[in-house]
């Protein structure tokens, strides 16, 4: 029982890792970039029916801070992408899925971020699902409001998330220590009980042997 209790957290973590490893998870993009650094604009649109064949294309548009309209930024289809906005020439590259059969990650990566990159980015996923008797078109749009700062800043949510992570790790370690102590005491108590039973059984056999010898002597 103790061994099963100690192995349970490890088994759960392994199961979660195996499940997450092959699944598509729509994680939201970061929204704060540091000037002069690289930055990933994340855009994930999971295909809900894995057994259905599909074709997808991704297009990005950008509205700079102070502009009233969006301009075409980037287009990707069939393992090839094109930077459309001249402000991002030689500074932008594809950072998403490579497969043409299951395009789900449409992220892009900006090199050498500038303050002029501040603004609103839109990621459009156009997907054509190919069923046996018909095709079905879907469109998903994700909007990212990007802020460019001179240096890394940490928000309260990030700090609280890190604190909770360390609290969870410490709590799990304490729980494992308590379980180990409990199991050790239980095993020790069982061992002592077995020794006492063995000693009592030995004394009973010895006493019976003495009585048998005494009866034999009287009979003689």
């Amino acid at each position: 029982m103790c061994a099963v209790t100690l192995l349970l957290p490890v088994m759960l973590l392994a199961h979660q890792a195996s499940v997450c490893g092959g699944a598509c998870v729509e994680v939201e993009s970061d929204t704060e970039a540091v000037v002069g650094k690289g930055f990933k604009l994340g855009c994930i649109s999971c295909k809900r029916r894995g057994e259905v064949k599909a074709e997808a294309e991704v297009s990005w548009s950008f509205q700079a801070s102070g502009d009233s309209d969006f301009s075409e930024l980037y287009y990707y289809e069939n393992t090839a992408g094109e930077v459309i906005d001249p402000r991002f020439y030689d500074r932008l590259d594809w950072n998403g899925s490579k497969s043409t059969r299951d395009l789900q990650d449409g992220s892009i990566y900006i090199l050498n971020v500038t303050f002029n990159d501040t603004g609103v980015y839109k990621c459009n996923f156009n997907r054509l699902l190919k069923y046996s008797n018909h095709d079905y078109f879907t469109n998903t749009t994700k909007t990212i409001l990007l802020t460019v700062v001179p240096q890394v800043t940490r928000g309260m949510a990030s700090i609280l998330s890190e604190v909770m992570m360390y609290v969870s790790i410490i709590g799990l370690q304490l729980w494992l220590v308590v379980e180990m102590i409990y199991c050790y005491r239980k095993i020790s108590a069982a061992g002592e009980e077995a020794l006492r039973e063995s000693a009592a059984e030995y004394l009973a056999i010895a006493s019976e042997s003495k009585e048998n010898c005494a009866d034999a002597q009287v009979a003689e």
Side-chain angles (χ1 to χ4, degrees):
M1 181 64 182
C2 289
V4 173
T5 303
L6 293 176
L7 288 175
L8 182 60
V10 178
M11 294 172 63
L12 289 175
L13 290 175
H15 174 70
Q16 291 177 354
S18 63
V19 171
C20 294
C24 174
V25 181
E26 296 190 8
V27 181
E28 296 297 326
S29 173
D30 290 334
T31 57
E32 186 177 273
V34 180
V35 66
K37 304 292 185 179
F39 183 78
K40 177 181 178 180
L41 285 165
C43 179
I44 299 176
S45 176
C46 298
K47 181 159 64 73
R48 304 304 179 186
R49 298 289 297 274
E51 72 279 7
V52 178
K53 295 182 179 180
E55 295 178 357
E57 61 182 20
V58 179
S59 61
W60 283 85
S61 56
F62 172 55
Q63 182 184 36
S65 180
D67 290 354
S68 57
D69 298 321
F70 281 87
S71 60
E72 294 184 33
L73 173 61
Y74 186 83
Y75 180 78
Y76 185 92
E77 183 182 18
N78 294 329
T79 71
E82 178 186 2
V83 180
I84 302 173
D85 194 324
R87 292 171 292 184
F88 291 86
Y89 284 166
D90 301 323
R91 291 201 305 121
L92 193 148
D93 199 5
W94 180 253
N95 195 240
S97 305
K98 302 298 183 181
S99 173
T100 58
R101 297 181 56 189
D102 193 16
L103 180 60
Q104 302 188 80
D105 187 350
S107 303
I108 55 178
Y109 192 84
I110 303 175
L111 298 171
N112 191 24
V113 174
T114 69
F115 287 111
N116 293 329
D117 297 335
T118 299
V120 181
Y121 294 79
K122 280 188 178 180
C123 168
N124 289 284
F125 248 98
N126 298 318
R127 178 175 286 120
L128 185 65
L129 301 175
K130 294 181 173 294
Y131 292 92
S132 58
N133 55 354
H134 73 284
D135 295 342
Y136 182 75
F137 178 80
T138 64
N139 173 265
T140 302
T141 300
K142 296 181 181 293
T143 302
I144 303 168
L145 176 59
L146 180 64
T147 303
V148 179
V149 296
Q151 60 182 4
V152 178
T153 59
R154 296 186 63 191
M156 183 59 66
S158 175
I159 296 174
L160 289 176
S161 177
E162 185 174 347
V163 171
M164 290 303 297
M165 179 187 69
Y166 285 116
V167 169
S168 299
I169 292 174
I170 294 173
L172 178 60
Q173 291 178 340
L174 291 176
W175 180 77
L176 288 174
V177 169
V178 171
E179 285 294 325
M180 290 177 65
I181 294 174
Y182 169 77
C183 291
Y184 174 77
R185 290 182 175 178
K186 190 172 183 179
I187 293 172
S188 298
E192 292 177 359
E193 181 66 23
L195 288 175
R196 284 195 293 268
E197 291 179 356
S198 298
E201 184 178 354
Y202 173 78
L203 292 175
I205 294 174
S207 176
E208 184 178 356
S209 298
K210 289 181 179 179
E211 291 178 358
N212 291 336
C213 290
D215 293 340
Q217 290 178 356
V218 170
E220 293 177 355

